[in-house]
Amino acid sequence: MSQQRHGSTPGEAGGVPAFPDLPEATIARLPEYLRALHHLAETGAETVSSEGLAAAAGVNSAKLRKDLSHLGSYGTRGVGYDVSLLVAQIEYILGLDENRAVCLVGVGNLGHALAGYAGFASRGFRVVALFDTDPKKVGEQINGLTVRHLDDLERIAAEESIAIGVIATPPGTAQTVADALVAAGVTSILNFAPGVLSVPSNVDVRKVDLAIELQILSFHEHRKASLTALPGGRAAAASPDKQPEDQEAVGS
């Protein structure tokens, strides 16, 4: 597995391949590490131990050290990780140094909330275009952007170099929107509509389904209730000696 040496400039042409081949689970955790590192930087921290960063990110330290070793970051014994260097490495790997242009399709209640979310800009993304097909919504101003008709997608995607599209439509129209995004050259899609999208192999799709997340939490509530219903279950569940060895948030 290719790795970048600790201390080298991201993408530097002199060493090991500039872009490491990362496991999907590691990729999913990098944004959590980055969020924790940004918070540490805001508090003035210059270095952080693996244990401290792991606790802030909600993972165990062994898993964190393995994840960061894929980036070529091994830290310094007795000192830990350089916060600013690690931020730069993770931002490079996640492509956040490119300030990527994003479009949003569907400006209902969810779309309105997403369009007004200030956190995108601080995380390396620019929402540059909003689209809908409802004549009552086309022309509306949201957070400084004019809602365009979906028919304008291909032209605006080319003008703004949009590579990431967000779908916030009802499920019945999500596939049509996905087809339009793909036709416009968008190669990454974040889908908030329930269901599975059919896209070409070169298009990456991430799905956010709040109902599924609630169902998973419901399972955990059911399991906890079942455990406490067993003889001695409540005491066993409360005992510190019975805590899971590696308890993390679902989806981490």
Side-chain angles (χ1 to χ4, degrees), residues 29-39 86-88 90-91 94 96 123:
R29 287 188 289 268
L30 289 182
E32 294 293 341
Y33 301 154
L34 186 60
R35 176 192 55 77
L37 287 164
H38 277 303
H39 178 71
L86 197 50
V87 165
I90 295 177
E91 286 185 343
L94 294 177
L96 301 182
R123 295 296 187 268

Side-chain angles (χ1 to χ4, degrees), residues 141-192:
Q141 291 282 325
I142 303 176
N143 202 30
L145 293 173
T146 301
V147 178
R148 311 286 187 132
H149 194 280
L150 190 61
D151 291 343
D152 295 330
L153 172 59
E154 190 166 354
R155 175 178 59 83
I156 295 175
E159 291 173 355
E160 299 286 353
S161 300
I162 297 172
I164 301 176
V166 179
I167 298 177
T169 66
T173 57
Q175 183 61 57
T176 300
V177 171
D179 293 341
L181 288 168
V182 171
V186 173
T187 52
S188 291
I189 296 173
L190 179 61
N191 180 30
F192 282 89

Side-chain angles (χ1 to χ4, degrees), residues 2 45-47 66 77 90 113 115 126 129 137 139 164 180 194 196 199 211 217 223 225 232 238 244:
S2 59
E46 296 182 355
T47 60
K66 183 176 180 180
R77 186 179 297 276
I90 295 177
R126 294 178 296 118
K137 295 173 181 174
I164 301 176
V196 178
V199 297
L217 289 174
R223 179 175 57 83

Side-chain angles (χ1 to χ4, degrees), residues 172-216:
T173 57
Q175 183 61 57
T176 300
V177 171
D179 293 341
L181 288 168
V182 171
V186 173
T187 52
S188 291
I189 296 173
L190 179 61
N191 180 30
F192 282 89
V196 178
L197 299 178
S198 176
V199 297
S201 59
N202 68 317
V203 176
D204 292 296
V205 176
R206 298 285 295 181
K207 182 172 69 172
V208 180
D209 191 325
L210 299 181
I212 287 178
E213 298 302 322
L214 288 172
Q215 288 168 352
I216 293 171

Side-chain angles (χ1 to χ4, degrees), residues 25 55 96 122 172 194 246 251:
L96 301 182
S122 63
D246 179 19

Side-chain angles (χ1 to χ4, degrees), residues 10 25-26 33 57 77 79 81 91 158 167 176 185 193 211 222 228 237 249 252:
T26 295
Y33 301 154
R77 186 179 297 276
V79 177
Y81 296 95
E91 286 185 343
I167 298 177
T176 300
H222 187 193
T228 56
S252 62

